[in-house]
């Protein structure tokens, strides 16, 4: 089976509980739509668990991108040759904005990892997918973190910029693909602000499946099964 999760945000215990609840095995695949870190209590445990799973496919999110921008220059050895020109004011500003947007817990835990572990984590995020397309029974699921900025239906996904998938919140009142066999699957925007009933459950309408159910805000963590269309939930942890 193929499962889709999003925005785990350091909620390691709900994440593990959900894997147990869906009986996730080596024969299954897990697609995570970014933002495994920041805000929640154990972001490093979440991302390092995903890194150890060859059947986990990670799609980069905006918090992952901010982390990379902030740490790619900080997580290197400062030598006599490079210390004067290594960090710029722009680098420090990127770090400040990331920490203020929930990155402090990630930064604190990242510092406790060895230099090799730090580089492995950054490499993993650097090499993560920007989008994935899954097919099942004649339908195509387009998986991105947030939405698609400047969307044009006939435009190939490879022609968009990386940032087009990371920050632009999807318009859930708009059907992006007129072909009803095409479905846009997103995280990033908690469903309790999308659904009229404000319930922390997956939203499905207008060719959308929104799977961020606000786990870190006390909502739920959800897993959507592509083959069966079933949704499994565990209670989140409010931070």
């Amino acid at each position: 089976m193929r499962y889709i999760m999003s925005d785990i945000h350091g909620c390691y215990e709900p994440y593990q509980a959900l894997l147990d609840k869906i009986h996730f095995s080596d024969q299954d695949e897990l697609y995570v739509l970014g933002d495994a870190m920041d805000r929640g209590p154990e972001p490093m445990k979440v991302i390092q668990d995903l890194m150890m799973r060859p059947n986990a496919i990670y799609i980069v999110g905006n918090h992952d991108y901010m982390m990379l921008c902030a740490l790619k220059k900080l997580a290197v050895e400062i030598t006599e040759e490079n210390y004067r020109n290594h960090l710029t004011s722009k680098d420090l500003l990127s770090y400040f904005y990331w920490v203020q947007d929930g990155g402090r817990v990630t930064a604190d835990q990242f510092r406790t990892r060895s230099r090799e572990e730090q580089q492995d984590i950054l490499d993993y995020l650097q090499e993560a997918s920007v989008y994935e397309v899954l097919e099942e029974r004649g339908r195509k699921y387009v998986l991105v973190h947030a939405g698609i900025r400047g969307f044009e239906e006939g435009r190939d996904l490879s022609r968009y910029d990386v940032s087009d998938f990371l920050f632009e919140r999807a318009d859930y009142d708009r059907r992006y693909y007129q072909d009803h066999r095409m479905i846009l699957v997103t995280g990033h925007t908690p469903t309790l602000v999308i659904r009229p009933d404000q319930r922390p459950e997956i939203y499905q309408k207008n060719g959308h499946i929104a799977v961020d159910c606000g786990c870190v805000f006390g909502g739920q963590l959800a897993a959507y099964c592509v083959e069966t269309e079933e949704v499994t939930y565990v209670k989140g942890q409010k931070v």
Side-chain angles (χ1 to χ4, degrees):
M1 297 292 184
R2 290 170 292 176
Y3 296 93
I4 303 170
M5 292 185 196
S6 187
D7 294 79
I8 302 168
H9 275 306
C11 296
Y12 182 76
E13 290 185 7
Y15 160 68
Q16 288 293 342
L18 188 51
L19 291 180
D20 290 341
K21 195 169 183 178
I22 63 176
H23 306 292
F24 189 72
S25 72
D26 292 342
Q27 284 69 51
D28 299 317
E29 289 184 342
L30 176 64
Y31 290 80
V32 178
L33 308 186
D35 286 4
M37 57 267 303
D38 292 358
R39 295 192 170 132
E42 298 179 294
M44 288 296 98
K45 287 181 70 173
V46 174
I47 197 66
Q48 288 185 300
D49 181 89
L50 288 167
M51 289 168 60
M52 292 188 298
R53 298 179 183 272
N55 54 339
I57 298 89
Y58 198 76
I59 296 172
V60 68
N62 63 303
H63 280 263
D64 310 313
Y65 183 80
M66 288 190 293
M67 177 183 173
L68 280 169
C69 291
L71 295 183
K72 63 185 178 182
K73 293 185 74 173
L74 287 172
V76 298
E77 182 179 0
I78 305 300
T79 66
E80 184 177 351
E81 293 180 1
N82 68 20
Y83 87 96
R84 291 185 183 276
N85 302 311
H86 183 68
L87 293 178
T88 67
S89 58
K90 184 178 179 180
D91 298 325
L92 296 175
L93 197 60
S94 293
Y95 183 81
F96 172 79
Y97 284 138
W98 170 56
V99 166
Q100 291 298 307
D101 197 17
R104 180 171 297 280
V105 63
T106 306
D108 290 344
Q109 294 180 11
F110 186 82
R111 282 196 294 267
T112 69
R113 269 48 183 184
S114 68
R115 183 77 69 184
E116 182 179 3
E117 285 179 295
Q118 290 177 354
Q119 193 58 55
D120 287 344
I121 291 167
L122 295 178
D123 288 345
Y124 180 78
L125 295 177
Q126 186 79 48
E127 296 166 6
S129 301
V130 177
Y131 63 85
E132 292 283 340
V133 179
L134 307 180
E135 297 189 27
E136 177 64 23
R137 290 178 293 181
R139 296 202 290 180
K140 286 189 176 182
Y141 297 83
V142 178
L143 278 55
V144 300
H145 173 65
I148 306 177
R149 182 172 59 196
F151 176 79
E152 300 172 11
E153 185 160 7
R155 187 178 179 186
D156 192 271
L157 292 171
S158 64
R159 295 179 57 199
Y160 290 91
D161 187 75
V162 171
S163 62
D164 291 333
F165 301 105
L166 301 183
F167 300 99
E168 182 83 0
R169 295 190 188 276
D171 182 353
Y172 295 99
D173 293 324
R174 168 193 177 191
R175 179 178 288 278
Y176 281 56
Y177 293 100
Q178 299 309 305
D179 183 345
H180 285 225
R181 295 170 298 177
M182 299 284 292
I183 300 169
L184 183 62
V185 187
T186 54
H188 189 58
T189 304
T191 57
L192 59 138
V193 302
I194 303 171
R195 294 173 58 102
D197 60 10
Q198 298 182 325
R199 294 175 64 87
E201 298 175 358
I202 279 181
Y203 174 87
Q204 299 186 63
K205 192 176 180 181
N206 298 327
H208 292 275
I209 300 177
V211 298
D212 175 9
C213 296
C215 177
V216 76
F217 303 116
Q220 301 189 96
L221 187 63
Y224 177 89
C225 181
V226 175
E227 283 74 17
T228 65
E229 302 179 41
E230 294 179 347
V231 184
T232 307
Y233 299 100
V234 297
K235 184 174 176 55
Q237 55 185 126
K238 188 172 183 178
V239 177

